[in-house]
Amino acid sequence: MFLNKRRSFLLSVLFLSLAASLFYCIFTKPKDKPIPVEEVFSQAPWSKPLPVLPPLAGVGEVRAENCGKCHVEIYAEWKTSTHANALSDLQFQSELSKSSSPRWLCLNCHTPVANQRETLVNYLNNGDYRTPIEEPNPNFDPKMKAEAVTCAVCHVRLDENGNSYVLGANGKTKPPHPVKIIPDKLRNRCLDCHNANYVLDDQLVCAFKTGIELEQKGNSHGKLACGSCHMGELQRKLVKPELNTPIRTSHKHSFIGGGVPKKFELYEKQIPGGYKTGLKVEPIQWKTKGNDLEYSVSLTNEKAAHNIPTGDPERFILLKISILDPKGKSLATKEIKFGQEWEWYPKARLVADTRILPGETKVWKDLFTGIEKSHSKIVFEMYHTRLKESNAEHMRKNSENITSDQLRKKISEIENHYPFSSLIHKEEIDLNSGKNRIYSPEELFRISKNRRGE
């Protein structure tokens, strides 16, 4: 009798459990529904790669290496650029390795052509970015993938018949490939990725607002095209000399930005690539009052049409002033940062923003106390910082999650491969003679390169 009751009780529990599960599946769990990516992200240009681009008549596959067969000089410049290193970037690869990373979405700006993608995402399950519906890409080109932000990203499009053509800025010759001269389309391309501003969830926020910064009230430089600063103009032949084409207006394709390259080896390319700081730095002002030394530093965002720094919200400008003894030993140091401060957990939010706006002047005043006659020098340094040591340490600890042996080793020793910051201004003042020395850009980049491993 007892066994029969026990059996009946167990059967009742099982039945209720099955009924509850069935009820949940039918009435609670959302049914799988593919939602187009365009609908979820309101057709944001960074939400999908460019469509598959077929071979270009007269050229072949739309790879940078094929463009470089004629555009030799431009190709050589591009290879040194941040664009060419956008996929191999160690910080980016570290971010991709996180379990929370929306890889398919991040890659849309770092490998922006469908030819570069092993799989394509056209739909999201129930509109959730965490459940992309990935489909194999029969047109995947691994060589082109390695080129990251390759020539075709800006310069190749599809005509009304689905054929590839080159998008040019000017044309005076008859190239071996189809071309359309539409300079405005080239000028506007940059902000498709450099104005990616979106909140995915509480912790995942993309906050690249360079385009928004260009439109700030009172920005006298806001109408400038990105290439005005980042693609310096020069006169040259666009293709190799043996093709006997005329000298024309061209632009550098090194895309130099804030002077922090993706590899130490690329420091020597910064100045030839066109690096110029957008900041006007006045010589440091100082005076002594008894045993106190007062100083004043003035910075003006004179040339940039965007905030300094812009882009990655974790970048900042670090100003550092030190008092040295006759042997060069630092006796006292003061620092200040100009950048953004974010609180990432439990919900990402911007806490403070002290970046330098277009046309704005920031003045840093302070004093050192207890100055003695034996103190001999003031040293003023300014760094453009991309990666803080605390973040680098987090990357080292999590490098074990990376499947590639080569990448894992590099990220575990990231200080040897990836510049965290660049010295962009240095000034020394002899307290006895009052003479000052301002370091040249060549000296600054040489110092930055030699900081490898620090």
Side-chain angles (χ1 to χ4, degrees), residues 393-453:
E393 181 58 23
H394 184 72
M395 291 167 62
R396 293 185 195 101
K397 288 179 179 177
N398 287 279
S399 61
E400 60 189 34
N401 298 324
I402 297 172
T403 54
S404 163
D405 292 341
Q406 186 180 23
L407 269 177
R408 184 167 57 251
K409 179 173 175 53
K410 281 187 174 182
I411 293 175
S412 69
E413 304 169 346
I414 191 165
E415 68 281 1
N416 295 321
H417 305 282
Y418 193 71
F420 293 8
S421 63
S422 288
L423 181 62
I424 57 174
H425 183 87
K426 184 172 181 178
E427 184 177 351
E428 294 180 352
I429 302 169
D430 187 304
L431 290 176
N432 297 312
S433 67
K435 292 182 179 180
N436 72 329
R437 178 195 172 196
I438 297 176
Y439 284 63
S440 70
E442 290 82 3
E443 290 175 300
L444 298 175
F445 283 130
R446 190 158 53 246
I447 292 169
S448 297
K449 182 179 180 180
N450 290 338
R451 291 171 63 230
R452 179 182 227 155

Side-chain angles (χ1 to χ4, degrees), residues 7-39:
R7 187 179 295 111
S8 298
F9 173 78
L10 291 173
L11 287 171
S12 298
V13 170
L14 180 61
F15 175 80
L16 289 171
S17 296
L18 290 171
S21 298
L22 185 62
F23 178 87
Y24 175 81
C25 290
I26 295 174
F27 298 104
T28 307
K29 184 182 178 182
K31 295 180 180 179
D32 291 344
K33 182 181 179 182
I35 306 293
V37 168
E38 298 92 330
E39 185 177 323

Side-chain angles (χ1 to χ4, degrees), residues 195-262:
N195 203 42
N197 177 36
Y198 199 84
V199 176
L200 291 168
D201 59 32
D202 283 355
Q203 277 81 47
L204 286 173
V205 175
C206 197
F208 293 82
K209 299 182 179 181
T210 302
I212 294 172
E213 293 163 16
L214 299 179
E215 298 176 356
Q216 293 174 110
K217 187 177 179 180
N219 185 358
S220 60
H221 296 313
K223 300 297 182 183
L224 288 175
C226 302
S228 299
C229 296
H230 297 284
M231 298 181 71
E233 190 175 285
L234 70 162
Q235 299 297 312
R236 65 176 171 189
K237 294 186 176 185
L238 297 189
V239 294
K240 55 189 177 182
E242 52 265 40
L243 293 178
N244 296 316
T245 57
I247 291 175
R248 297 157 57 189
T249 298
S250 177
H251 292 86
K252 283 185 177 287
H253 282 64
S254 311
F255 302 101
I256 297 299
V260 192
K262 297 297 185 185

Side-chain angles (χ1 to χ4, degrees), residues 181-196:
I181 307 304
I182 315 175
D184 284 346
K185 283 192 175 182
L186 281 173
R187 291 191 190 100
N188 297 333
R189 175 60 174 140
C190 306
L191 296 181
D192 287 349
C193 284
H194 289 277
N195 203 42

